[in-house]
């Protein structure tokens, strides 16, 4: 009898899978399974693959391959994927070498079909490069944004400060009309700037006194000489009660005044800044290059901008007119108290304007020292509040009417040693016809003006030291010629004054 079920089972041959599976050990998806019986050749003499006698269905090419064919494919390194997988493998290796710089692992590369590939198997160089490129793009964008913001803020600050300044074009026009009578500059690059402190009681300043229709006088006038080499700065105070020749000037209502011999601060009241400049130039022979007018509020704000100025008082002060009450000793004055201190006169010393000018000079020296010692002039962040305070109440000629011009001026002064920032008052004495007024002392005043005009040095010492020096010089004059017969060099003129390096608390 013939067994229709097929030949008897052979224990040496693998059994066919249930459910009509293939008998060569290949899974239904056609992918060889690692470690399957197909890796071993069948026993000799056994039927090929143990397949049934009936022929397999036509068209099922994958089932025609036996274990030998699968083994051959595996030996060729192509696997079930064929040439496309081999090309993909080569591309992956090349990409890994280009991006990561590492060599591919030995042996066959597992494909995605086996489901075991992880991020660790991917080329790390490409991932890092992508992340780095992404980070650099965001960094560049953020930096560009910050630069734009900084530029915008800087431009806004510049325009704000620049717009604070009031330009005095009227004074320039008036001075041009009298150009022929003005002194000729002697030294190139030396600068002479007239600083005028206005005592106007108009507007916010009315609390400091009666407002008489907006008229004003120059409460403080200082001629600031900057040496051409910018190694020294000399500030010369001109007393407001000094008797001087005031030229004919044009008034605010376009009238002309007559020449007169009167007290100095009348020039500002009669003809404003131009008249004051012409009066100073006639008296000194020095060409005034620029001018600045600062009112009370500008002075207060500048002191507040540097966090106050330290002074020392030997005695307490109680001056109702100056709105000032201070104890004796070391203390720091804010803007309001500082203004009262430099304006007080009746309750301090002998009540003269001379002592007040000395106090103003000492305070200005302390202010300059504070600005230089704290690095204000070298630090734009700290300099901005000072410039903002100064420009708000500043009226100047067109040559200093921009922030760039003011900055160049400040930059030229910031390297001047504090001991070379000197303050003094023109040599003067009580006026012979009125002891309440002053007059120049000659030839001392003429010598001082000549030194400044020719940009030559001057020296200042405290008043008591100057008296001792003059006494020594008088005692040394015995009328006898020098033993060697040689001429001694001309000494530097010395005047009573102070410097920004002086400590008010050690005097």
């Amino acid at each position: 009898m013939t067994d229709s079920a097929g030949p008897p089972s052979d224990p040496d041959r693998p059994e066919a899978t249930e459910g009509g599976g293939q008998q060569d050990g290949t899974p239904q998806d056609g992918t060889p399974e690692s470690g399957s019986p197909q890796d071993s050749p069948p026993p000799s003499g056994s039927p090929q693959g143990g397949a049934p006698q009936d022929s397999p269905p036509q068209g099922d090419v994958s089932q025609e391959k036996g274990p030998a064919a699968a083994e051959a494919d595996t030996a060729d390194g192509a696997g079930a994927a064929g040439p496309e997988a081999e090309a993909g493998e080569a591309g992956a290796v090349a990409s890994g070498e280009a991006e990561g710089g590492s060599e591919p692992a030995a042996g066959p590369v597992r494909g995605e079909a086996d489901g075991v590939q992880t991020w660790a198997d991917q080329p790390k160089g490409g991932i890092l490069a992508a992340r780095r490129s992404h980070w650099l793009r965001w960094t560049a964008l953020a930096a560009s944004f910050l630069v734009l913001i900084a530029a915008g803020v800087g431009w806004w600050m510049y325009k704000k400060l620049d717009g604070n300044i009031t330009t005095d074009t009227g004074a320039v026009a008036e001075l041009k009309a009298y150009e022929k009578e003005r002194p000729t500059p002697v030294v190139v690059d030396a600068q002479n700037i007239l600083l005028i402190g206005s005592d106007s009681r108009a507007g916010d300043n009315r609390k400091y006194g009666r407002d008489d229709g907006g008229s004003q006088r120059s409460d403080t006038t200082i001629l600031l000489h900057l040496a051409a080499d910018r190694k020294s700065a000399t500030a010369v105070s001109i007393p407001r009660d000094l008797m001087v020749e005031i030229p004919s000037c044009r008034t605010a209502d376009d009238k002309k005044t007559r020449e007169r011999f009167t007290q100095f601060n009348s020039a500002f009241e009669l003809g404003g800044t131009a008249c004051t400049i012409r009066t100073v130039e006639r008296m000194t022979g020095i060409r005034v290059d620029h001018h600045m007018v600062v009112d009370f509020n500008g002075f207060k704000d500048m002191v507040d901008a540097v966090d106050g100025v330290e002074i020392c008082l030997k005695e307490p002060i109680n001056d109702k007119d100056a709105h000032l009450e201070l104890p004796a000793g070391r203390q720091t004055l804010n803007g309001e108290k500082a203004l009262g201190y430099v304006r007080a006169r009746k309750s301090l010393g002998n009540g003269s304007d001379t002592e007040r000018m000395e106090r103003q000079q000492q305070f200005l020296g302390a202010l300059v020292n504070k600005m230089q010692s704290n690095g204000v002039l070298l630090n734009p962040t700290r300099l901005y509040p000072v410039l903002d305070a100064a420009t708000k109440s500043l009226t100047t000629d067109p040559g200093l009417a921009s922030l760039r011009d003011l900055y160049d001026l400040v930059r030229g002064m910031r390297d001047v040693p504090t001991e070379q920032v000197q303050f003094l008052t023109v040599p003067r004495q009580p006026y012979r016809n009125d002891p309440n007024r002053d007059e120049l002392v000659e030839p001392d005043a003429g010598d001082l003006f000549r030194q400044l005009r020719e940009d030559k040095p001057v020296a200042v010492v405290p008043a008591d030291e100057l008296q001792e020096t003059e006494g020594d010089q008088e005692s040394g004059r015995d009328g006898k010629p020098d033993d060697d017969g040689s001429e001694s060099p001309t000494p530097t003129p010395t005047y009573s004054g102070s410097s920004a390096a002086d400590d008010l608390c050690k005097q």
Side-chain angles (χ1 to χ4, degrees), residues 58-215:
Q58 296 296 326
D60 192 5
V61 180
S62 61
Q63 293 183 3
E64 292 180 359
K65 285 187 178 182
E71 184 177 1
D73 290 342
T74 304
D76 291 340
E84 291 81 6
E86 183 176 359
E89 178 183 345
V93 173
S95 175
E97 291 178 351
E99 296 180 3
S102 58
E103 297 182 357
V109 178
R110 293 178 292 180
E112 294 182 356
D114 60 10
V116 297
Q117 188 174 15
T118 64
W119 281 105
D121 299 320
Q122 298 292 335
K124 297 182 179 180
I127 300 174
L128 293 177
R131 291 178 179 176
R132 187 181 301 109
S133 176
H134 182 73
W135 182 84
L136 289 176
R137 283 196 300 270
W138 276 103
T139 301
L141 182 62
S144 301
F145 183 69
L146 292 177
V147 168
L148 289 176
I149 292 180
V153 172
W155 178 248
W156 176 84
M157 292 170 60
Y158 179 86
K159 297 299 291 184
K160 181 178 183 297
L161 293 176
D162 210 45
N164 287 343
I165 306 171
T166 302
T167 306
D168 185 4
T169 57
V172 175
E174 181 74 8
L175 291 173
K176 284 184 178 180
Y178 296 95
E179 181 63 34
K180 292 183 179 180
E181 70 178 38
R182 300 185 65 191
T184 301
V186 177
V187 179
V188 179
D189 293 333
Q191 292 279 318
N192 296 294
I193 305 171
L194 193 65
L195 308 177
I196 302 174
S198 169
D199 65 350
S200 172
R201 303 305 197 272
D204 295 336
N205 294 332
R206 64 171 55 94
K207 67 180 180 179
Y208 300 111
R210 179 176 57 86
D211 180 12
D212 51 358
S215 64

Side-chain angles (χ1 to χ4, degrees), residues 201 206-209 316-326 336 339-341 343-348:
R201 303 305 197 272
R206 64 171 55 94
K207 67 180 180 179
Y208 300 111
I317 299 177
N318 188 2
D319 191 323
K320 295 182 179 180
D321 293 337
H323 306 280
L324 185 66
E325 184 175 355
L326 297 172
E336 186 70 30
L339 179 61
Y341 177 73
R343 293 185 63 248
R345 181 176 62 171
K346 298 178 180 179
S347 61
L348 297 180

Side-chain angles (χ1 to χ4, degrees), residues 264-345:
F264 172 74
N265 66 342
S266 297
F268 195 68
E269 181 182 14
L270 293 172
T273 303
C275 191
T276 302
I277 292 175
R278 292 176 58 212
T279 301
V280 171
E281 290 182 341
R282 174 176 289 194
M283 177 179 64
T284 64
I286 298 173
R287 173 80 173 218
V288 175
D289 302 298
H290 301 288
H291 69 270
M292 296 182 184
V293 181
V294 184
D295 68 10
F296 292 154
N297 285 315
F299 176 81
K300 291 191 306 180
D301 293 342
M302 287 185 64
V303 174
D304 287 333
V306 296
D307 299 328
V309 176
E310 186 180 74
I311 64 168
C312 281
L313 298 177
K314 296 180 180 180
E315 298 178 355
I317 299 177
N318 188 2
D319 191 323
K320 295 182 179 180
D321 293 337
H323 306 280
L324 185 66
E325 184 175 355
L326 297 172
R330 183 189 297 266
Q331 53 201 294
T332 299
L333 302 185
N334 61 14
E336 186 70 30
K337 292 182 179 179
L339 179 61
Y341 177 73
V342 298
R343 293 185 63 248
R345 181 176 62 171

